Amino acid sequence: MVRKALLILSALTLLVLGATGIYVWRTLPQLDGEMKLHGLRAQVQIRRDSSDVTHIQAQSPQDVWFALGLVHAQERSWQLSFNRRVMHGTLSEILGPATLETDRLLRTLDIMGAARRQYAALPKVAQEALQRYSDGINAFHQQSTQALPPEFHALVGSKPRGDDPVWTPQDSVGWALMMALDLGGNWGAEMARLSLLQTLNTHALWQLMPPYPGEKPLSSVDLAELYRGLGVYRTATATGSTADHVVPESAWARWSQDLVNQMGEAGGKGSNNWALAGNRTISGLPLLANDPHLGLSAPAIWYFASLQAPAGQATDGTPIGRLQVMGATLPGLPFVVLGRTEGVAWAFTNTGPDVQDLYLERIHPEHPTHYQTPQGWKEFETRQETIRVKGQADVMHTVRRTRHGPVISDAVASTIELIDSRRFAIALRWSALDDDNRTVLGGLLANQAHDVDGLFAAFAHHHSPMQSAIAADTRGTIRMRAIGRVPVRHPANDLRGLAPAPGWDARYDWQGELAYQDNPQDLGDKGWIATANQRITEPDYPHHLTQDWILPYRQDRIVQGLASKERHDMASLQDLQNDVYSAAMLRLWLHLLKVKSNHPLAESAMAVLKHFDGRMLADQAAPLIGAVWVDELARGIIAAKIGSAKFKALYGKRDFRAGIEGILERNDNDWCGPSGCSGVTQKAFEQALDRITAWQGPRVTDWQWGRTHMARSMHRPFDKVDALSSLFNVERPSSGDNYTVNVGQYHASEVIAPFANRHAASLRAIYDLSDLERSVFIYQTGQSGLVFSPRYRDMADEWAQGRYRALQFRPDLWRHELKLQPH
């Protein structure tokens, strides 16, 4: 009997293993051979080269867009599906009540409503491109025999339903809006100031959140007095509706809260780009470099492809230029976002203008359905949203809207807890939601450009988010122009978008938008151009963009690197992209070296710190000690002043670095407390040593920054599931910090892995305009979004080690060849 039972068990085990193996194999895409599809007009060739770049060659632009949709669905079906749920506000259907706040906020913003209106306003040629792309995605789901990846099976209810479209043209417009939300937000800074002013006076606010170095606050208004006088803040006796927004603590709840907190926060979401004119290069023609800094994810945000098709025309007769373009595509959009054609290459960084304003809407004391306007009381526009929730009844969410825009205080719990919601609501004015947003048209036309002039003519249609675009062409031209729209504010607007404005006062209403030709630009007269989210305008620039530029540490280092050689080549630009020198850390270093401590590890730690040269290297102990010490400083100085609850809500993605620098350099006892700043720095040092000992043991010489500063490409949503995260996440030790050229941004407020590298170079690319076939790229995971694929993480080591892959139209080797045939 025992032997028989063992035989049966063995057979069952083999059967399960065999079935699992077959399933794993079926999840992988067809890369070779032939595939017949309804919807194609003619044969399309899809080849993958030795760099794993996907080359799509078709006989019409329409078939290129269709094939790109198919390829994105083959490789990134879960990513597309999950991102669609985020922007539609339907996460709770598969994740339950923990994600209700995210769904409420996305429904309140009405991302998809704006997408439908913007799609309807696009010219027919753009609508056709988006339609063909979505046809390709849907063709995969309706006609392919490839099995869905495991995420669809693990999350009940996430599989596509019947003949319902998996993707629509309006979804592509919606995804462009989600990128604008990720990069073009500053309502978080306004809310942070409003929150801090509940505790601090205005002078202390500007000490903690100072303006750009060397400048004064744009507003001279006593903001603390303004809000106290209005009675904005919630009191202990005020009633509210926060109970409806409380959800059980869970992995999904933590993930959802992180997502909500990121919206409206552009701080730290930066990038680097620079171009050198031919008189500064060895080849005599320009070089262009780009590394956009975005949240690291697995799969990566980008997918590299080459799109090739002869010129054609849309169904309405509109001409479509020849497509010979390659670079980084975004799954969800039918064009190369960052890359090159045969004649021109381009690179983006986030400009970060103030394109969002918050408005305090005063509610009628007797008729709460009305709010005050300059012309009197007006009724809120309302609509009902039904949110389906896994495991419980549907939730009805009432969305209110004012003349400025959606009332976000109805959707974000932290805002509800801050203001007196009986008397005020907070509405959002955001330019990206305007019906004339034609960003996708700009992207489609840019793929047809042959030179710098043609490229920036295409980008005249780009709306949101504003980007500092640098371009270089084979004729030798380099140029930077900020592309996108920014609002014009009234001269009497004394708040300048820095904090929520009284919505009933007409002087705070927008007065139109800046003309494209008035956006900042740089013609490269110095022989080089560089941007790194620093102030890109000259002192005499007449228009207001923002006060909240990123501290210029990366920009200063890039300029220093460009000035270090008379002429540069590809190798020197690669070295600069991978530079991990932190002037920000060195600025605080003297305060650290002055610490006197009797801690058992103090002597050996100081011996290490004295030899620190500013490089945040993964295999060194000094960067780790410095980073944790700065975190403890922030906790010791700021939390004591504003309270632990407010500190917890605001700290992490916002590190208050400029505030801490000023406090220490002034030796400001108002902030440091009765023991003075020397006492705070000593205590922070000792607490840092204790924390690191708990993580890496008591031998200082064994400590390494990279073991704590792992570059963590996080899967959505399985990063938050302990049993699955190690399978779906991609992690590598990394160098750098928040202020190095090779950025490695961490969120020190995180309970788990507080110093993990979460925002970094989402790709690196360098283009040689003397021979564009010498261009190179890399990013941090792999082309495939299928976790069982060997191509899911095959770039990770190269990215972490600063290596690159070739980016060529005509590679020497094809690894895979697939032909698509019309059915």
Side-chain angles (χ1 to χ4, degrees), residues 213 551 553 582-591 658 661-662 665:
L551 292 174
Y553 288 114
S582 178
M585 186 61 75
L586 280 181
R587 181 168 177 175
L588 296 177
W589 211 252
L590 287 178
H591 301 283
E661 291 170 350
E665 288 164 6

Side-chain angles (χ1 to χ4, degrees), residues 186-197 265 358 408 414-416 418-419 426 498-500 650 654:
N186 80 312
W187 94 58
E190 290 192 45
M191 284 304 306
R193 292 182 182 115
L194 180 65
S195 179
L196 288 166
L197 288 163
E265 287 285 358
L358 295 180
I408 62 170
S414 59
T415 305
I416 298 169
L418 178 65
I419 66 169
I426 295 181
L498 292 174
L650 298 176
R654 181 181 296 101

Side-chain angles (χ1 to χ4, degrees), residues 349-530:
T349 67
N350 201 35
T351 310
D354 186 350
V355 296
Q356 294 177 342
D357 275 357
L358 295 180
Y359 291 90
L360 290 165
E361 308 288 16
R362 180 181 277 149
I363 299 173
H364 195 290
E366 297 177 3
H367 303 287
T369 56
H370 289 66
Y371 68 99
Q372 189 177 5
T373 76
Q375 291 77 36
W377 298 98
K378 185 177 181 180
E379 188 172 4
F380 286 101
E381 298 176 29
T382 61
R383 71 175 191 277
Q384 292 293 320
E385 292 280 345
T386 302
I387 303 176
R388 296 176 60 189
V389 184
K390 180 180 179 181
Q392 70 176 49
D394 294 351
V395 170
M396 301 302 296
H397 174 55
T398 301
V399 176
R400 294 187 293 175
R401 184 180 178 87
T402 74
R403 66 192 186 93
H404 295 114
V407 175
I408 62 170
S409 56
D410 290 343
V412 181
S414 59
T415 305
I416 298 169
E417 294 163 1
L418 178 65
I419 66 169
D420 185 345
S421 56
R422 301 169 305 173
R423 303 180 62 201
F424 296 98
I426 295 181
L428 171 69
R429 177 75 172 96
W430 177 29
S431 60
L433 297 177
D434 292 349
D435 294 352
D436 65 347
N437 184 342
R438 306 206 301 178
T439 295
V440 293
L441 176 62
L444 289 164
L445 293 176
N447 282 197
Q448 303 166 40
H450 304 295
D451 55 23
V452 166
D453 288 339
L455 184 78
F456 282 112
F459 282 143
H461 298 284
H462 182 93
H463 189 293
S464 301
M466 178 174 271
Q467 299 290 287
S468 300
I470 298 181
D473 63 27
T474 53
R475 300 173 182 176
T477 303
I478 64 171
R479 187 183 307 161
M480 186 282 292
R481 180 185 285 276
I483 59 172
R485 309 289 182 85
V486 64
V488 173
R489 293 172 174 83
H490 196 283
N493 183 339
D494 53 2
L495 295 179
R496 308 297 293 276
L498 292 174
W504 55 91
D505 191 331
R507 62 181 160 152
Y508 299 117
D509 293 346
W510 291 356
Q511 307 298 305
E513 61 188 25
L514 197 62
Y516 181 56
Q517 62 267 24
D518 291 331
N519 287 355
Q521 66 173 335
D522 186 333
L523 301 179
D525 297 333
K526 300 183 296 291
W528 57 268
I529 307 169

Side-chain angles (χ1 to χ4, degrees), residues 3-118:
R3 183 179 179 185
K4 184 176 181 181
L6 288 173
L7 286 172
I8 292 172
L9 181 62
S10 298
L12 288 173
T13 300
L14 289 173
L15 185 63
V16 170
L17 290 174
T20 302
I22 292 171
Y23 166 70
V24 168
W25 175 76
R26 289 192 60 237
T27 65
L28 302 180
Q30 180 180 346
L31 304 181
D32 297 285
E34 186 174 287
M35 183 186 298
K36 291 187 176 181
L37 293 165
H38 293 288
L40 274 179
R41 298 180 176 181
Q43 177 181 291
V44 175
Q45 188 172 46
I46 300 177
R47 296 182 290 183
R48 289 169 170 86
D49 63 23
S50 57
S51 295
D52 203 22
V53 175
T54 299
H55 296 249
I56 301 174
Q57 188 170 5
Q59 298 176 41
S60 68
Q62 287 87 346
D63 275 355
V64 158
W65 298 323
F66 180 98
L68 182 61
L70 177 84
V71 167
H72 281 167
Q74 276 188 312
E75 303 270 32
R76 304 289 184 89
S77 58
W78 174 253
Q79 184 180 41
L80 285 165
S81 177
F82 191 81
N83 289 345
R84 187 174 193 260
R85 285 194 175 276
V86 172
M87 62 186 173
H88 280 255
T90 60
L91 285 173
S92 298
E93 286 187 15
I94 61 171
L95 299 179
T99 54
L100 266 172
E101 187 173 11
T102 299
D103 286 346
R104 281 192 180 100
L105 180 55
L106 269 299
R107 301 285 187 99
T108 298
L109 293 174
D110 196 23
I111 293 293
M112 290 313 301
R116 287 187 287 271
R117 294 188 296 273
Q118 291 171 11

